[in-house]
Amino acid sequence: MRYIIVGAGAVGGAIGGRLAGSGHEVVLVARGAHHAALRDGGLRLKVPDGEFTYRLPTVEGPDELGELRPDDVLVLAVKTQDTVAAVQTWGPAPVAGGGTAAERLPLFCAQNGVEGQRLALRVFRHVYGVCVWLPATFLEPGAVRADCGPLTGILHLGRFPHGTDETARLVAADLEKTRFFEAPVVPDVTRWQYAKLLTNLSNTLQALTGPDQGPGPRAALRERLRAEGEAVLDAAGIAYASVEEQKAARGHKVDLVPLDGAPRGGGSSWQSLSRGTGTIEADYLNGEIALLGRLHGVPTPLNDLLQHLGNTFARERRAPGSMPVEELVRLADDAVAFVQES
């Protein structure tokens, strides 16, 4: 199978690089300066076991590939807010032998949150969810770093909305043959994704106030965000893997390893602010909880606040970590008090 990585940033670049490093055929899809850097200098992947350069075919869209192949696998690794544009671009692409990518090819959504695969399923017939546990960083065109060891990541795979099949098992086998991924194939991939969503609720918190520094107001606010999220999922009757189950699955397989003696800067939302992209995933992380809360009658003042502030910071291109945590705690307390008094 040939892997077409639609969105060769942090997650997509790490997956594509590791697959290419084990001999798989990989095509990278990127835009702008990142596309130019990948095309001209290759993908530079820095990992605990070294720094590697992979000179891979790099395109901006399907037209540059001509007809797609029946054995192609599309890995969608763009941010959720870019999903609609991506599936509308790749869905109509013709496949050799007849039909389109949307009709014939599998699409694996390697994204945070749960909305991307719903959006994809409106266009593609064969959609697979991926619960991504893969801390990686993309700040410089052409360069990706993945800071974990001994594995680069753990990727739970399954058909969306549920089930498994031979395609999922074949892709999982290819990932595991790299020796840098564990890829359990599960019939309930959304249960793992909702558990990861609860963790990702603090992505915006980190982007606004900086990396976690142990016990303190930031950690306390993180726990309040998670508790609000759990209350919403419970009210909605949505199953999610427990913290204990997640820890048992991860063990010490994906521990952070400082590269060049420097700790990892921050997660995906922090990176979006650092690159000044103008957008952030908050609508599909904190905003997912806000949506479910409104649907099921559960107040979500903390996630509402984080969604609003995250979008404001992205739109105004404010620097990551530039809000004092004490200010955010005050705003959070005010938001909760307002809901309680209403």
Side-chain angles (χ1 to χ4, degrees), residues 237-258:
I238 294 174
Y240 52 93
S242 68
V243 172
E244 293 72 25
E245 190 175 2
Q246 292 178 85
K247 286 182 178 178
R250 291 196 304 268
H252 289 287
K253 302 171 188 174
V254 283
D255 287 345
L256 285 172
V257 178

Side-chain angles (χ1 to χ4, degrees), residues 81-96:
Q81 62 266 30
D82 298 320
T83 296
V84 170
V87 298
Q88 288 180 345
T89 296
W90 286 87
V95 178

Side-chain angles (χ1 to χ4, degrees), residues 22 150-152 174-182:
S22 65
L151 297 179
T152 298
D174 281 352
L175 289 166
E176 293 193 340
K177 285 174 186 174
T178 69
R179 299 180 294 107
F180 293 106
F181 292 109
E182 190 172 283

Side-chain angles (χ1 to χ4, degrees), residues 59-83:
V59 301
E60 290 189 297
D63 293 347
E64 298 171 59
L65 291 175
E67 282 190 322
L68 300 180
R69 302 184 339 201
D71 65 343
D72 281 339
V73 174
L74 301 178
V75 178
L76 185 67
V78 299
K79 294 289 197 302
T80 304
Q81 62 266 30
D82 298 320
T83 296

Side-chain angles (χ1 to χ4, degrees), residues 32 50 59 78 101 116 119 232 248 257 281 312:
V59 301
V78 299
L119 296 170
V232 166
V257 178
E281 286 181 295
T312 299

